[in-house]
Coordinates of all heavy atoms in Angstrom, one line a residue:
M1 N -6.7 -21.4 8.5 CA -6.6 -21.6 9.9 C -7.8 -20.9 10.6 O -8.1 -19.8 10.2 CB -5.3 -21.0 10.5 CG -5.2 -21.2 12.0 SD -3.6 -20.6 12.6 CE -3.7 -18.9 12.2
K2 N -8.4 -21.6 11.6 CA -9.5 -21.0 12.3 C -9.0 -20.3 13.6 O -8.3 -20.9 14.3 CB -10.5 -22.1 12.7 CG -11.7 -21.7 13.3 CD -12.7 -22.8 13.6 CE -14.0 -22.3 14.2 NZ -14.1 -22.6 15.6
F3 N -9.4 -19.0 13.7 CA -9.0 -18.3 14.9 C -10.1 -18.5 16.0 O -11.2 -18.6 15.7 CB -8.8 -16.8 14.6 CG -7.5 -16.6 13.9 CD1 -7.5 -16.5 12.5 CD2 -6.3 -16.4 14.5 CE1 -6.4 -16.3 11.7 CE2 -5.1 -16.1 13.8 CZ -5.2 -16.1 12.4
C4 N -9.6 -18.4 17.3 CA -10.6 -18.6 18.4 C -11.6 -17.4 18.4 O -12.7 -17.6 18.9 CB -9.8 -18.7 19.7 SG -8.8 -17.3 20.1
C5 N -11.1 -16.2 18.0 CA -12.0 -15.0 18.0 C -11.4 -13.9 17.1 O -10.2 -14.0 16.8 CB -12.2 -14.5 19.4 SG -10.7 -13.9 20.3
E6 N -12.2 -12.9 16.8 CA -11.8 -11.9 15.9 C -10.6 -11.1 16.5 O -9.7 -10.6 15.8 CB -13.0 -11.0 15.6 CG -12.7 -9.8 14.7 CD -12.2 -10.2 13.3 OE1 -12.3 -11.4 12.9 OE2 -11.7 -9.3 12.6
T7 N -10.7 -10.9 17.8 CA -9.6 -10.1 18.5 C -8.3 -10.8 18.4 O -7.3 -10.1 18.0 CB -10.0 -9.9 20.0 OG1 -11.2 -9.2 20.1 CG2 -8.9 -9.1 20.7
F8 N -8.2 -12.1 18.5 CA -7.0 -12.8 18.4 C -6.4 -12.7 17.0 O -5.2 -12.5 16.8 CB -7.1 -14.3 18.9 CG -5.8 -15.0 19.0 CD1 -5.2 -15.1 20.3 CD2 -5.2 -15.6 17.9 CE1 -4.0 -15.7 20.4 CE2 -4.0 -16.3 18.1 CZ -3.4 -16.3 19.3
R9 N -7.4 -12.8 16.0 CA -6.9 -12.7 14.6 C -6.3 -11.4 14.3 O -5.2 -11.3 13.7 CB -8.1 -12.9 13.7 CG -7.7 -13.1 12.2 CD -8.9 -13.0 11.2 NE -9.6 -11.7 11.3 CZ -9.2 -10.6 10.8 NH1 -8.0 -10.6 10.1 NH2 -9.9 -9.5 10.9
R10 N -6.9 -10.3 14.8 CA -6.4 -9.0 14.6 C -5.0 -8.8 15.3 O -4.1 -8.2 14.8 CB -7.4 -7.9 15.1 CG -8.4 -7.6 14.0 CD -9.3 -6.4 14.3 NE -10.3 -6.8 15.3 CZ -10.4 -6.3 16.5 NH1 -9.5 -5.4 16.9 NH2 -11.3 -6.7 17.3
L11 N -5.0 -9.3 16.6 CA -3.7 -9.2 17.3 C -2.6 -9.9 16.6 O -1.4 -9.5 16.5 CB -3.9 -9.8 18.7 CG -4.6 -8.9 19.7 CD1 -4.9 -9.7 21.0 CD2 -3.8 -7.7 20.1
H12 N -2.9 -11.1 15.9 CA -1.8 -11.8 15.2 C -1.4 -11.0 14.0 O -0.2 -11.0 13.6 CB -2.3 -13.2 14.8 CG -1.2 -14.0 14.1 ND1 0.0 -14.3 14.7 CD2 -1.2 -14.4 12.8 CE1 0.7 -14.9 13.8 NE2 0.1 -15.0 12.7
E13 N -2.3 -10.4 13.3 CA -2.0 -9.5 12.1 C -1.1 -8.4 12.5 O -0.4 -7.9 11.7 CB -3.3 -9.0 11.5 CG -4.0 -10.1 10.7 CD -5.3 -9.5 10.0 OE1 -5.6 -8.3 10.1 OE2 -5.9 -10.3 9.3
N14 N -1.1 -7.9 13.7 CA -0.3 -6.8 14.2 C 1.1 -7.1 14.5 O 1.9 -6.2 14.8 CB -0.9 -6.2 15.5 CG -2.3 -5.5 15.3 OD1 -2.6 -5.2 14.2 ND2 -3.0 -5.3 16.4
A15 N 1.5 -8.4 14.4 CA 2.8 -8.8 14.8 C 3.9 -7.9 14.1 O 3.9 -7.8 12.9 CB 3.1 -10.3 14.5
G16 N 4.8 -7.3 14.9 CA 5.9 -6.5 14.4 C 5.5 -5.0 14.2 O 6.4 -4.2 13.9
L17 N 4.2 -4.7 14.3 CA 3.8 -3.3 14.2 C 3.8 -2.6 15.5 O 3.9 -3.2 16.5 CB 2.4 -3.2 13.5 CG 2.3 -4.0 12.1 CD1 0.9 -3.9 11.6 CD2 3.3 -3.4 11.1
R18 N 3.5 -1.2 15.4 CA 3.4 -0.4 16.7 C 2.0 -0.6 17.3 O 1.1 0.2 17.1 CB 3.6 1.1 16.3 CG 3.6 2.0 17.5 CD 3.9 3.4 17.1 NE 3.2 3.9 15.9 CZ 2.0 4.4 15.9 NH1 1.3 4.6 17.0 NH2 1.4 4.7 14.8
E19 N 1.8 -1.7 17.9 CA 0.5 -2.2 18.4 C 0.8 -3.3 19.5 O 1.9 -3.7 19.6 CB -0.3 -2.8 17.3 CG -0.7 -1.9 16.1 CD -1.8 -1.0 16.4 OE1 -2.5 -1.2 17.5 OE2 -2.0 -0.1 15.6
F20 N -0.3 -3.7 20.1 CA -0.3 -5.0 20.8 C -0.4 -6.1 19.7 O -1.1 -5.9 18.7 CB -1.5 -5.1 21.7 CG -1.2 -4.5 23.1 CD1 -1.8 -3.2 23.3 CD2 -0.5 -5.1 24.0 CE1 -1.5 -2.6 24.6 CE2 -0.3 -4.5 25.3 CZ -0.8 -3.2 25.5
A21 N 0.3 -7.2 20.0 CA 0.2 -8.3 19.0 C 0.4 -9.7 19.8 O 0.9 -9.7 20.9 CB 1.4 -8.2 18.0
V22 N -0.1 -10.7 19.1 CA 0.2 -12.1 19.7 C 0.8 -12.9 18.6 O 0.5 -12.8 17.4 CB -1.1 -12.8 20.2 CG1 -1.5 -12.1 21.5 CG2 -2.2 -12.9 19.2
F23 N 1.7 -13.8 19.0 CA 2.3 -14.8 18.0 C 2.9 -15.9 18.8 O 3.0 -15.8 20.1 CB 3.3 -14.1 17.1 CG 4.4 -13.4 17.9 CD1 5.5 -14.0 18.3 CD2 4.3 -12.0 18.1 CE1 6.5 -13.3 19.0 CE2 5.3 -11.3 18.8 CZ 6.4 -12.0 19.2
T24 N 3.3 -17.0 18.1 CA 4.0 -18.0 18.8 C 5.5 -17.9 18.5 O 5.9 -17.3 17.5 CB 3.6 -19.4 18.4 OG1 3.8 -19.6 17.0 CG2 2.1 -19.7 18.7
A25 N 6.3 -18.4 19.4 CA 7.8 -18.4 19.2 C 8.3 -19.7 19.8 O 7.8 -20.2 20.8 CB 8.4 -17.2 19.9
R26 N 9.4 -20.2 19.2 CA 10.1 -21.3 19.8 C 11.0 -20.8 20.9 O 11.9 -20.1 20.7 CB 10.9 -22.0 18.7 CG 10.1 -22.6 17.6 CD 11.1 -23.3 16.6 NE 10.3 -23.8 15.5 CZ 9.7 -25.0 15.5 NH1 9.9 -25.8 16.5 NH2 9.0 -25.4 14.4
Y27 N 10.6 -21.3 22.2 CA 11.3 -20.8 23.3 C 11.2 -21.7 24.5 O 10.0 -21.9 25.0 CB 10.8 -19.4 23.7 CG 11.5 -18.7 24.8 CD1 12.7 -18.1 24.7 CD2 10.9 -18.7 26.1 CE1 13.4 -17.5 25.7 CE2 11.5 -18.1 27.2 CZ 12.8 -17.5 27.0 OH 13.4 -16.9 28.0
P28 N 12.2 -22.3 25.0 CA 13.5 -22.5 24.3 C 13.4 -23.5 23.2 O 14.0 -23.3 22.2 CB 14.4 -23.0 25.4 CG 13.5 -23.6 26.5 CD 12.2 -22.9 26.3
D29 N 12.6 -24.6 23.3 CA 12.5 -25.5 22.2 C 11.1 -25.9 21.9 O 10.9 -26.6 20.9 CB 13.5 -26.7 22.4 CG 13.6 -27.2 23.8 OD1 12.5 -27.3 24.4 OD2 14.7 -27.5 24.2
S30 N 10.2 -25.6 22.7 CA 8.8 -25.8 22.4 C 8.1 -24.4 22.2 O 8.7 -23.4 22.4 CB 8.0 -26.6 23.5 OG 7.9 -25.8 24.6
F31 N 6.9 -24.4 21.7 CA 6.3 -23.1 21.4 C 5.7 -22.4 22.6 O 5.1 -23.1 23.5 CB 5.1 -23.3 20.3 CG 5.7 -23.4 18.9 CD1 5.7 -24.6 18.3 CD2 6.1 -22.3 18.2 CE1 6.2 -24.8 17.0 CE2 6.5 -22.4 16.9 CZ 6.6 -23.6 16.3
V32 N 5.8 -21.1 22.7 CA 5.1 -20.3 23.7 C 4.3 -19.3 22.9 O 4.6 -18.9 21.8 CB 6.1 -19.6 24.6 CG1 6.8 -20.6 25.5 CG2 7.1 -18.7 23.9
F33 N 3.2 -18.8 23.6 CA 2.4 -17.7 23.0 C 2.9 -16.4 23.7 O 3.0 -16.3 24.9 CB 0.9 -17.9 23.3 CG 0.3 -18.9 22.4 CD1 0.4 -20.3 22.6 CD2 -0.4 -18.5 21.3 CE1 -0.1 -21.2 21.8 CE2 -1.0 -19.4 20.4 CZ -0.8 -20.8 20.7
V34 N 3.1 -15.4 22.8 CA 3.7 -14.1 23.3 C 2.7 -13.0 23.0 O 2.2 -12.9 21.9 CB 5.0 -13.8 22.5 CG1 5.6 -12.5 22.9 CG2 6.0 -15.0 22.6
L35 N 2.4 -12.2 24.0 CA 1.7 -11.0 23.9 C 2.7 -9.9 23.9 O 3.5 -9.8 24.9 CB 0.7 -10.8 25.0 CG 0.0 -9.4 25.1 CD1 -0.9 -9.2 23.9 CD2 -0.8 -9.2 26.4
Q36 N 2.8 -9.1 22.8 CA 3.9 -8.1 22.7 C 3.3 -6.8 22.3 O 2.4 -6.7 21.6 CB 4.9 -8.6 21.6 CG 6.1 -7.7 21.4 CD 7.0 -8.2 20.3 OE1 6.7 -7.9 19.2 NE2 8.0 -8.9 20.7
N37 N 3.9 -5.7 22.9 CA 3.6 -4.3 22.5 C 4.8 -3.7 22.1 O 5.9 -3.7 22.7 CB 3.0 -3.6 23.7 CG 2.7 -2.1 23.3 OD1 3.4 -1.2 23.5 ND2 1.5 -2.0 22.6
R38 N 4.7 -3.0 20.9 CA 5.8 -2.2 20.4 C 5.4 -0.7 20.4 O 4.3 -0.4 19.9 CB 6.1 -2.6 18.9 CG 6.8 -4.0 18.9 CD 7.1 -4.5 17.5 NE 7.9 -5.7 17.6 CZ 9.2 -5.8 17.5 NH1 9.9 -4.7 17.2 NH2 9.8 -6.9 17.7
A39 N 6.3 0.1 21.0 CA 6.0 1.5 21.1 C 6.3 2.3 19.8 O 5.9 3.4 19.6 CB 6.8 2.1 22.3
L40 N 7.2 1.7 18.9 CA 7.6 2.4 17.8 C 7.3 1.6 16.5 O 7.2 0.4 16.5 CB 9.2 2.6 17.8 CG 9.7 3.3 19.0 CD1 11.2 3.2 19.0 CD2 9.3 4.8 19.0
D41 N 7.1 2.4 15.4 CA 7.0 1.8 14.1 C 8.3 1.0 13.7 O 9.3 1.4 14.2 CB 6.7 2.8 13.0 CG 5.3 3.3 13.1 OD1 4.3 2.5 13.4 OD2 5.1 4.6 12.9
P42 N 8.2 0.0 12.9 CA 9.3 -0.8 12.6 C 10.6 0.0 12.1 O 11.7 -0.4 12.5 CB 8.9 -1.8 11.5 CG 7.4 -1.8 11.6 CD 7.0 -0.5 12.2
E43 N 10.4 1.0 11.3 CA 11.5 1.8 10.8 C 11.9 3.0 11.6 O 12.8 3.8 11.3 CB 11.3 2.2 9.3 CG 10.9 1.1 8.4 CD 9.4 0.8 8.5 OE1 8.6 1.7 9.0 OE2 9.0 -0.3 8.1
A44 N 11.1 3.2 12.7 CA 11.3 4.5 13.5 C 12.7 4.5 14.2 O 13.2 3.5 14.6 CB 10.2 4.6 14.5
L45 N 13.3 5.7 14.2 CA 14.5 5.9 15.0 C 14.1 6.0 16.5 O 13.1 6.5 16.8 CB 15.1 7.2 14.6 CG 15.6 7.3 13.2 CD1 16.1 8.7 12.8 CD2 16.8 6.3 12.9
P46 N 14.9 5.4 17.4 CA 14.6 5.5 18.8 C 14.6 6.9 19.3 O 15.5 7.7 18.8 CB 15.7 4.7 19.4 CG 16.8 4.4 18.4 CD 16.2 4.7 17.1
P47 N 13.7 7.3 20.2 CA 13.7 8.7 20.6 C 14.9 9.0 21.5 O 15.5 8.1 22.1 CB 12.4 8.8 21.5 CG 12.2 7.4 21.9 CD 12.7 6.5 20.8
F48 N 15.4 10.3 21.4 CA 16.5 10.6 22.3 C 16.1 10.8 23.7 O 15.2 11.7 24.0 CB 17.2 11.9 21.7 CG 18.3 12.4 22.6 CD1 19.5 11.8 22.6 CD2 18.1 13.4 23.5 CE1 20.5 12.2 23.4 CE2 19.1 13.8 24.4 CZ 20.3 13.2 24.3
T49 N 16.6 10.1 24.6 CA 16.3 10.2 26.0 C 17.5 9.6 26.8 O 18.1 8.7 26.4 CB 15.0 9.5 26.4 OG1 14.8 9.6 27.8 CG2 15.0 8.0 26.0
E50 N 17.7 10.3 28.0 CA 18.8 9.7 28.8 C 18.1 8.8 29.9 O 18.9 8.2 30.7 CB 19.5 10.9 29.5 CG 20.3 11.7 28.5 CD 21.1 12.8 29.1 OE1 21.2 12.9 30.4 OE2 21.6 13.6 28.4
S51 N 16.8 8.7 29.9 CA 16.2 7.8 30.8 C 16.0 6.4 30.2 O 15.9 6.3 29.0 CB 14.7 8.3 31.1 OG 14.8 9.6 31.7
P52 N 16.1 5.4 31.0 CA 15.9 4.0 30.5 C 14.5 3.9 29.9 O 13.5 4.5 30.4 CB 16.0 3.1 31.7 CG 16.6 3.9 32.8 CD 16.3 5.4 32.5
M53 N 14.4 3.2 28.7 CA 13.2 3.1 28.0 C 13.0 1.7 27.4 O 14.0 1.1 26.9 CB 13.1 4.1 26.9 CG 11.8 4.2 26.2 SD 12.0 5.2 24.7 CE 10.7 4.4 23.8
S54 N 11.8 1.2 27.5 CA 11.5 -0.1 26.8 C 10.6 0.2 25.6 O 9.4 0.6 25.8 CB 10.8 -1.1 27.8 OG 11.6 -1.3 28.9
S55 N 11.1 0.0 24.4 CA 10.2 0.2 23.2 C 9.5 -1.1 22.9 O 8.5 -1.0 22.2 CB 11.1 0.7 22.1 OG 12.0 -0.3 21.7
V56 N 9.9 -2.2 23.4 CA 9.2 -3.5 23.2 C 9.0 -4.1 24.5 O 9.9 -4.3 25.3 CB 10.0 -4.4 22.3 CG1 9.2 -5.7 22.0 CG2 10.3 -3.8 20.9
S57 N 7.7 -4.5 24.8 CA 7.4 -5.2 26.1 C 6.6 -6.5 25.7 O 5.8 -6.5 24.8 CB 6.5 -4.3 27.0 OG 7.2 -3.1 27.2
E58 N 6.8 -7.5 26.5 CA 6.1 -8.7 26.2 C 5.9 -9.6 27.4 O 6.6 -9.4 28.4 CB 6.7 -9.5 25.1 CG 8.1 -10.1 25.4 CD 8.8 -10.7 24.2 OE1 8.5 -10.4 23.0 OE2 9.6 -11.7 24.5
M59 N 4.9 -10.5 27.3 CA 4.7 -11.5 28.4 C 4.1 -12.7 27.7 O 3.6 -12.7 26.6 CB 3.7 -11.0 29.5 CG 2.3 -10.7 28.9 SD 1.2 -10.1 30.2 CE 0.9 -11.6 31.2
L60 N 4.3 -13.9 28.3 CA 3.8 -15.1 27.8 C 2.4 -15.3 28.2 O 1.9 -15.0 29.3 CB 4.7 -16.3 28.2 CG 6.2 -16.1 27.9 CD1 6.9 -17.4 28.3 CD2 6.4 -15.8 26.4
L61 N 1.6 -16.0 27.3 CA 0.1 -16.2 27.6 C -0.2 -17.7 27.6 O 0.4 -18.4 26.8 CB -0.7 -15.6 26.5 CG -0.7 -14.1 26.3 CD1 -1.6 -13.7 25.0 CD2 -1.2 -13.4 27.5
N62 N -1.1 -18.1 28.4 CA -1.7 -19.4 28.4 C -3.1 -19.4 27.8 O -3.5 -20.4 27.2 CB -1.7 -20.1 29.7 CG -0.3 -20.4 30.3 OD1 0.5 -21.0 29.5 ND2 -0.1 -20.1 31.5
Y63 N -3.8 -18.3 27.9 CA -5.2 -18.2 27.5 C -5.3 -16.9 26.6 O -4.6 -15.9 26.7 CB -6.1 -18.0 28.7 CG -5.9 -19.1 29.7 CD1 -5.1 -18.9 30.9 CD2 -6.4 -20.3 29.6 CE1 -4.9 -19.9 31.8 CE2 -6.2 -21.3 30.5 CZ -5.5 -21.1 31.6 OH -5.2 -22.1 32.5
C64 N -6.3 -17.0 25.7 CA -6.6 -15.9 24.8 C -7.0 -14.7 25.7 O -7.9 -14.9 26.5 CB -7.7 -16.2 23.8 SG -8.2 -14.8 22.9
P65 N -6.4 -13.5 25.6 CA -6.8 -12.4 26.4 C -8.2 -11.9 26.1 O -8.8 -11.1 26.9 CB -5.8 -11.3 26.1 CG -5.2 -11.7 24.7 CD -5.4 -13.2 24.6
S66 N -8.8 -12.3 25.0 CA -10.2 -11.8 24.7 C -11.3 -12.9 25.0 O -12.2 -12.6 25.7 CB -10.3 -11.5 23.2 OG -11.5 -11.0 22.9
C67 N -11.1 -14.1 24.5 CA -12.2 -15.1 24.7 C -11.9 -16.2 25.7 O -12.7 -16.9 26.1 CB -12.6 -15.7 23.4 SG -11.4 -16.9 22.8
G68 N -10.6 -16.3 26.1 CA -10.2 -17.2 27.2 C -9.9 -18.6 26.9 O -9.7 -19.4 27.8
V69 N -9.9 -19.0 25.6 CA -9.6 -20.4 25.2 C -8.1 -20.7 25.7 O -7.3 -19.8 25.8 CB -9.7 -20.7 23.7 CG1 -11.1 -20.5 23.2 CG2 -8.6 -19.9 22.9
T70 N -7.9 -22.0 26.0 CA -6.5 -22.4 26.3 C -5.8 -22.5 24.9 O -6.1 -23.3 24.1 CB -6.6 -23.8 26.9 OG1 -7.4 -23.7 28.1 CG2 -5.2 -24.2 27.3
L71 N -4.8 -21.6 24.8 CA -4.2 -21.4 23.5 C -3.5 -22.6 22.9 O -3.7 -23.0 21.7 CB -3.2 -20.2 23.5 CG -3.9 -18.8 23.8 CD1 -2.8 -17.8 24.1 CD2 -4.7 -18.4 22.6
K72 N -2.6 -23.3 23.7 CA -1.9 -24.5 23.2 C -2.9 -25.5 22.8 O -2.6 -26.3 21.8 CB -0.9 -25.0 24.2 CG 0.4 -24.3 24.0 CD 1.5 -25.1 24.9 CE 2.8 -24.4 24.6 NZ 3.8 -24.7 25.6
Q73 N -4.0 -25.6 23.4 CA -5.0 -26.6 23.1 C -5.7 -26.2 21.8 O -5.8 -27.0 20.9 CB -6.0 -26.7 24.2 CG -6.7 -28.0 24.4 CD -7.5 -28.0 25.8 OE1 -7.8 -27.0 26.4 NE2 -7.8 -29.2 26.2
F74 N -6.2 -25.0 21.7 CA -7.0 -24.5 20.6 C -6.1 -24.5 19.3 O -6.6 -24.9 18.2 CB -7.6 -23.1 20.8 CG -8.5 -22.7 19.7 CD1 -9.9 -23.0 19.8 CD2 -8.1 -22.0 18.6 CE1 -10.8 -22.6 18.9 CE2 -9.0 -21.6 17.6 CZ -10.3 -21.9 17.7
Y75 N -4.9 -24.1 19.4 CA -4.0 -23.9 18.3 C -3.0 -25.0 18.1 O -1.9 -24.8 17.5 CB -3.3 -22.5 18.3 CG -4.3 -21.4 18.2 CD1 -4.6 -20.6 19.2 CD2 -4.8 -21.0 16.9 CE1 -5.5 -19.5 19.1 CE2 -5.7 -20.0 16.8 CZ -6.0 -19.2 17.9 OH -6.9 -18.2 17.7
C76 N -3.2 -26.2 18.7 CA -2.2 -27.3 18.6 C -1.8 -27.6 17.2 O -0.6 -28.0 17.0 CB -2.7 -28.5 19.4 SG -4.2 -29.2 18.8
E77 N -2.7 -27.5 16.2 CA -2.3 -27.8 14.8 C -1.7 -26.6 14.1 O -1.2 -26.7 13.0 CB -3.6 -28.2 14.0 CG -4.4 -29.2 14.7 CD -4.0 -30.6 14.3 OE1 -3.8 -30.8 13.1 OE2 -3.9 -31.4 15.2
D78 N -1.7 -25.4 14.7 CA -1.3 -24.2 14.0 C -0.1 -23.5 14.6 O 0.1 -22.3 14.3 CB -2.5 -23.2 14.0 CG -3.8 -23.8 13.4 OD1 -3.7 -24.4 12.3 OD2 -4.8 -23.8 14.1
L79 N 0.6 -24.1 15.5 CA 1.7 -23.4 16.2 C 2.7 -22.9 15.3 O 3.3 -21.8 15.4 CB 2.3 -24.4 17.2 CG 1.4 -24.8 18.4 CD1 2.0 -25.9 19.2 CD2 1.1 -23.6 19.3
T80 N 3.0 -23.7 14.2 CA 4.1 -23.3 13.2 C 3.5 -22.1 12.4 O 4.3 -21.2 12.1 CB 4.5 -24.4 12.3 OG1 4.9 -25.5 13.2 CG2 5.6 -24.1 11.4
E81 N 2.3 -22.1 12.0 CA 1.7 -21.1 11.2 C 1.7 -19.7 11.9 O 1.8 -18.7 11.3 CB 0.3 -21.5 10.8 CG -0.3 -20.6 9.6 CD -1.6 -21.2 9.1 OE1 -1.8 -22.4 9.2 OE2 -2.3 -20.4 8.4
L82 N 1.5 -19.8 13.3 CA 1.5 -18.5 14.1 C 2.9 -18.1 14.5 O 3.1 -17.0 15.1 CB 0.7 -18.8 15.3 CG -0.8 -19.0 15.2 CD1 -1.4 -19.5 16.5 CD2 -1.5 -17.8 14.7
D83 N 3.9 -18.8 14.0 CA 5.3 -18.6 14.5 C 5.9 -17.3 14.0 O 6.0 -17.1 12.7 CB 6.2 -19.8 14.1 CG 7.6 -19.7 14.6 OD1 7.9 -18.8 15.4 OD2 8.4 -20.6 14.2
K84 N 6.3 -16.4 14.9 CA 7.0 -15.2 14.5 C 8.2 -15.1 15.5 O 8.5 -14.0 16.1 CB 6.2 -14.0 14.7 CG 4.9 -14.0 13.8 CD 5.1 -13.5 12.4 CE 3.8 -13.4 11.7 NZ 4.0 -13.2 10.3
S85 N 8.9 -16.2 15.6 CA 10.0 -16.2 16.6 C 11.0 -15.1 16.5 O 11.6 -14.6 17.5 CB 10.8 -17.6 16.4 OG 10.0 -18.6 16.8
A86 N 11.2 -14.6 15.2 CA 12.2 -13.5 15.0 C 11.8 -12.2 15.7 O 12.7 -11.4 16.0 CB 12.4 -13.3 13.5
L87 N 10.5 -12.1 16.0 CA 10.1 -10.8 16.7 C 10.2 -10.9 18.2 O 10.1 -9.9 18.9 CB 8.6 -10.6 16.4 CG 8.2 -10.3 14.9 CD1 6.7 -10.2 14.8 CD2 8.9 -9.1 14.4
K88 N 10.4 -12.1 18.8 CA 10.5 -12.2 20.2 C 11.7 -11.6 20.8 O 12.8 -11.7 20.2 CB 10.4 -13.7 20.6 CG 10.3 -13.8 22.2 CD 10.0 -15.2 22.6 CE 9.8 -15.2 24.1 NZ 10.6 -14.2 24.9
L89 N 11.6 -10.9 21.9 CA 12.8 -10.3 22.6 C 13.7 -11.4 22.9 O 13.3 -12.5 23.3 CB 12.3 -9.6 23.9 CG 11.6 -8.3 23.8 CD1 11.1 -7.8 25.2 CD2 12.4 -7.3 23.1
G90 N 15.0 -11.1 22.8 CA 16.0 -12.1 23.1 C 16.2 -13.1 22.0 O 17.0 -14.1 22.2
M91 N 15.6 -12.9 20.8 CA 15.8 -13.9 19.7 C 16.5 -13.3 18.5 O 16.3 -13.6 17.4 CB 14.4 -14.4 19.3 CG 13.6 -15.0 20.4 SD 14.2 -16.6 20.9 CE 13.3 -17.7 19.7
G92 N 17.4 -12.3 18.8 CA 18.2 -11.8 17.7 C 17.7 -10.5 17.1 O 18.1 -10.1 16.0
R93 N 16.8 -9.8 17.8 CA 16.3 -8.5 17.2 C 16.4 -7.4 18.2 O 16.1 -7.6 19.4 CB 14.8 -8.6 16.8 CG 14.7 -8.3 15.4 CD 13.3 -8.3 14.9 NE 13.3 -7.6 13.6 CZ 12.2 -7.4 13.0 NH1 11.1 -7.7 13.4 NH2 12.3 -6.7 11.8
Ligands
ZN101 ZN1 -9.8 -15.7 21.5

């Protein structure tokens, strides 16, 4: 698969790690591009705090945050290959 830029390739490799990451997810029934940040490593215990805390934050993207290509257009053949639906908030994790 050809990536639009090196930054997007690295962001996709980060999916599920304590980093910023991008991936596609089926939501609700077509693919969306998700930019996600995880504050904790996958096996980390949640920190003790009485304050509300978000350990995972995400937003949907239309354009690559680095080079600006229209994602659905550029990756129209690769939506399934980029799929990490299980990592998306509200998808059972
Ligand atoms: Zn790009």
Side-chain angles (χ1 to χ4, degrees):
M1 180 178 62
K2 183 177 183 251
F3 287 93
C4 58
C5 61
E6 180 62 15
T7 299
F8 192 94
R9 188 191 64 74
R10 279 189 281 113
L11 283 169
H12 182 64
E13 285 181 0
N14 291 344
L17 304 177
R18 182 175 47 86
E19 299 281 350
F20 276 100
V22 291
F23 53 86
T24 63
R26 291 181 187 273
Y27 182 79
D29 38 42
S30 68
F31 280 103
V32 291
F33 282 82
V34 180
L35 173 66
Q36 185 181 80
N37 179 263
R38 290 180 173 259
L40 302 173
D41 286 320
E43 307 81 22
L45 296 172
F48 176 77
T49 175
E50 293 180 10
S51 302
M53 186 191 150
S54 299
S55 63
V56 182
S57 304
E58 65 185 29
M59 62 181 288
L60 302 185
L61 296 177
N62 289 315
Y63 306 100
C64 174
S66 180
C67 74
V69 298
T70 303
L71 293 170
K72 270 192 178 162
Q73 208 168 18
F74 187 90
Y75 292 104
C76 60
E77 311 271 314
D78 305 308
L79 294 169
T80 304
E81 195 169 339
L82 295 168
D83 185 6
K84 303 275 183 190
S85 291
L87 296 176
K88 186 172 183 329
L89 289 175
M91 302 286 275
R93 238 185 165 181

